[in-house]
Amino acid sequence: MTAEATGVRLDCDGPVATVTLCRPDVLNAQTPAMWRAMREFSRDLPGDVRVVIVRGEGRAFSAGLDLAVVGASGPDSFAELSTLPEADCADRIADLQGAFTWLHRPDVVSIAAVRGHAIGAGFQLALACDLRVLAEDAKLSMAEVTLGLVPDLAGTKRLVELVGYARALEICATGRRMDAVEADRVGLANLVVPGDELDDAVRDLAAALLAHDRDAVVEIKALLAGASGRSHAEQQRAEREAQTRQLRALAGHGE
């Protein structure tokens, strides 16, 4: 399907792929059709892609769930999901979560370029990325609670990992908005820049990632991503094993 039909597109330029939400007239509000398209992007990604940039057209990253889905009565509407058996409803949500979780892939580093609103599903999409560069006008909110819902697009674990349990609970349970200054202070932003410098800052970050050995970056991402679930001894063993693989590869003894 075309970007016009799904509201999202994938562009690849050598080792850099860009996912663009392209519904600027509604601040890139998201729909299940967009999520299905994004889930397929993982399968379409060329093998030489190392960095994935996620951005929104216009003045917002994403204002969250398109509220038309809330009030609709067709497939994937709240009304339709609420009638499903519990297991079927959970399976349907798992299918939609794939639009976000593929950005965790171990072989790429994902960067969210956030300007304006990143609300609800928009915030969770930014959290799905490994790194976040925020424009100074960014406004973040986990607003699902305001609809009587919970965040269900793989954002809760990432939020706790970044800001801790107590702050994550407060952010999610109140649905309040944070500006870029606070997001930076609590650890949600890697960088905050003026709005007119956002694209350049993201390109510079991508270039810095691409400047180094791909296998080393992949190994580093795996080490850090798994660190919270390992003991000190387990992490040290993982470091030794990763370094052994790198040394052998650099010496030409790899598989």
Side-chain angles (χ1 to χ4, degrees), residues 14-171:
V16 178
T18 302
V19 175
T20 304
L21 307 184
C22 44
R23 302 183 72 209
D25 53 321
V26 290
L27 301 182
N28 299 311
Q30 298 176 44
T31 67
M34 294 171 72
W35 296 335
R36 291 197 172 89
M38 287 193 286
R39 183 193 61 202
E40 294 303 311
F41 288 166
S42 181
R43 301 176 186 177
D44 298 337
L45 211 62
D48 61 343
V49 168
R50 296 179 54 188
V51 174
V52 177
I53 297 168
V54 182
R55 59 181 294 274
E57 276 189 2
R59 58 190 178 91
F61 182 70
S62 173
L65 177 69
D66 190 333
L67 294 182
V69 176
V70 178
S73 58
D76 294 318
S77 67
F78 285 14
E80 192 255 352
L81 288 174
S82 69
T83 65
L84 295 175
E86 289 186 11
D88 292 344
C89 183
D91 286 345
R92 185 79 65 84
I93 295 170
D95 183 53
L96 299 176
Q97 286 173 331
F100 295 69
T101 56
W102 75 269
L103 292 164
H104 305 172
R105 276 175 48 163
D107 58 329
V108 299
V109 177
S110 49
I111 306 171
V114 181
R115 70 170 75 250
H117 290 141
I119 309 298
F123 188 15
Q124 292 192 76
L125 182 58
L127 288 170
C129 294
D130 297 304
L131 308 172
R132 281 154 295 283
V133 181
L134 273 55
E136 291 175 341
D137 69 346
K139 296 289 189 294
L140 283 62
S141 172
M142 198 71 88
E144 284 79 0
V145 71
T146 66
L147 298 173
L149 302 172
V150 304
D152 64 344
L153 295 170
T156 54
K157 180 173 174 59
R158 278 292 178 90
L159 186 61
V160 170
E161 290 171 344
L162 289 166
V163 305
Y165 161 76
R167 192 177 299 277
L169 175 60
E170 181 259 326
I171 289 170

